[in-house]
Amino acid sequence: MASKGLIFIVDDDDLFRESVGQNLTDEGFTVEEFPDGPEALERLSGGTAPDLILLDWKMPRMNGIEVLKQYRGEGGQVPVIFLTVLSDQIYEEAALIGGAVDFIEKSRSFSILRRRIDLIVGGQRGHVEADGDGPLSLGPLSLDAESARAKWRDREVDLTVAEFAIVHHLASRPGRDCRYRELYDLVRGEGFHAGSGEDGYRTNVRSMIKRIRRKFEDLDPDFGEIDNYPGFGYRWRKPDED
């Protein structure tokens, strides 16, 4: 049976690292484990490119954000998920701004982690969870669900797999307001909870939308297609709206 992909686990907690590694092996993935950042970076510098890196934040020698910064600085492009005990929004923001594609608390069930891994590794191989398989065009926006690529005015927008899923969901329903929870469940899994308070997921969605807008605005300072319906959610404007 062919492997579903190669995953690096970087974590100084031996028991946790071995437990996650065994679960992933049982799911059909090939796993390599590293007790700290320098060992993982050395392996990566040798030319080995996994499909995904699971990275802890609090580790000796180098913390996770330092590992990510060095890896990205050396040109590394492999998707990174932070898997950590830290739950404050400030850490998630720092991780995503630093180039991680997701941030998951260790207390979450393995099924949540597996779903995120399937989404990200699948996206790397040309598949993404979106509302359709064919291309979608809406005004200056072009989306290809098979490759998870987005273009705005014929220029590629550097979206993560999760960001692409949100843009595709909104753009395939122009003019329709999509609830915060609807967007959150799209990328995190139905029933998943994060952030502070019962409605903490709203903060997460606002952060994701903020990053998406910034990426479009980097290409087009006049970009304004994503509207907010305060207290409810977001929508993609119809092409004929003023």
Side-chain angles (χ1 to χ4, degrees):
M1 179 178 171
S3 171
K4 290 183 178 180
L6 174 60
I7 297 178
F8 282 8
I9 305 175
V10 188
D11 197 309
D12 63 316
D13 185 330
D14 295 341
L15 184 60
F16 180 81
R17 190 177 67 244
E18 293 170 7
S19 175
V20 172
Q22 186 59 58
N23 282 330
L24 289 172
T25 299
D26 292 344
E27 291 289 329
F29 291 96
T30 301
V31 174
E32 290 191 31
E33 301 175 18
F34 304 89
D36 57 42
E39 285 196 24
L41 288 169
E42 183 178 359
R43 179 78 166 115
L44 289 163
S45 67
T48 301
D51 294 284
L52 180 68
I53 300 170
L54 299 180
L55 183 61
D56 187 22
W57 189 295
K58 299 176 68 175
M59 296 185 292
R61 301 180 68 185
M62 293 178 74
N63 65 38
I65 200 69
E66 292 171 337
V67 173
L68 178 61
K69 182 177 181 180
Q70 180 172 326
Y71 178 59
R72 292 288 186 245
E74 293 172 350
Q77 297 297 318
V78 173
V80 174
I81 292 178
F82 268 95
L83 196 56
T84 176
V85 297
L86 301 173
S87 59
D88 289 350
Q89 185 72 22
I90 188 173
Y91 294 108
E92 181 173 3
E93 287 279 347
L96 297 174
I97 290 172
V101 298
D102 211 340
F103 185 96
I104 301 174
E105 293 177 47
K106 287 183 175 180
S107 60
R108 303 303 176 188
S109 68
F110 177 73
S111 63
I112 293 292
L113 175 62
R114 187 189 66 230
R115 182 182 185 278
R116 296 299 301 135
I117 290 173
D118 287 343
L119 175 62
I120 292 167
V121 174
Q124 289 294 108
R125 297 184 174 192
H127 302 281
V128 65
E129 287 187 5
D131 301 298
D133 294 327
L136 184 154
S137 295
L138 187 68
L141 178 70
S142 299
L143 301 175
D144 184 348
E146 287 195 9
S147 63
R149 292 180 180 272
K151 288 187 176 181
W152 180 257
R153 302 191 187 283
D154 296 321
R155 298 175 65 189
E156 188 160 336
V157 188
D158 186 22
L159 300 176
T160 67
V161 174
E163 290 167 350
F164 178 88
I166 288 177
V167 170
H168 194 286
H169 189 79
L170 292 172
S172 64
R173 299 159 174 79
R176 199 203 95 177
D177 294 306
C178 298
R179 295 176 295 110
Y180 282 99
R181 188 77 230 189
E182 177 182 343
L183 298 173
Y184 190 78
D185 287 347
L186 180 69
V187 297
R188 294 301 178 99
E190 192 168 345
F192 186 87
H193 174 73
S196 59
E198 291 185 6
D199 292 336
Y201 63 87
R202 293 174 186 263
T203 302
N204 285 263
V205 171
R206 282 193 288 266
S207 295
M208 286 188 283
I209 293 293
K210 182 178 180 180
R211 290 193 301 273
I212 290 169
R213 280 174 168 160
R214 186 182 302 126
K215 290 181 178 182
F216 277 93
E217 288 167 356
D218 286 343
L219 301 177
D220 180 1
D222 295 325
F223 176 80
E225 308 309 300
I226 302 176
D227 288 335
N228 176 230
Y229 181 177
F232 186 87
Y234 293 90
R235 67 169 180 156
W236 194 278
R237 303 180 70 184
K238 292 181 179 180
D240 57 355
E241 285 188 70
D242 293 329

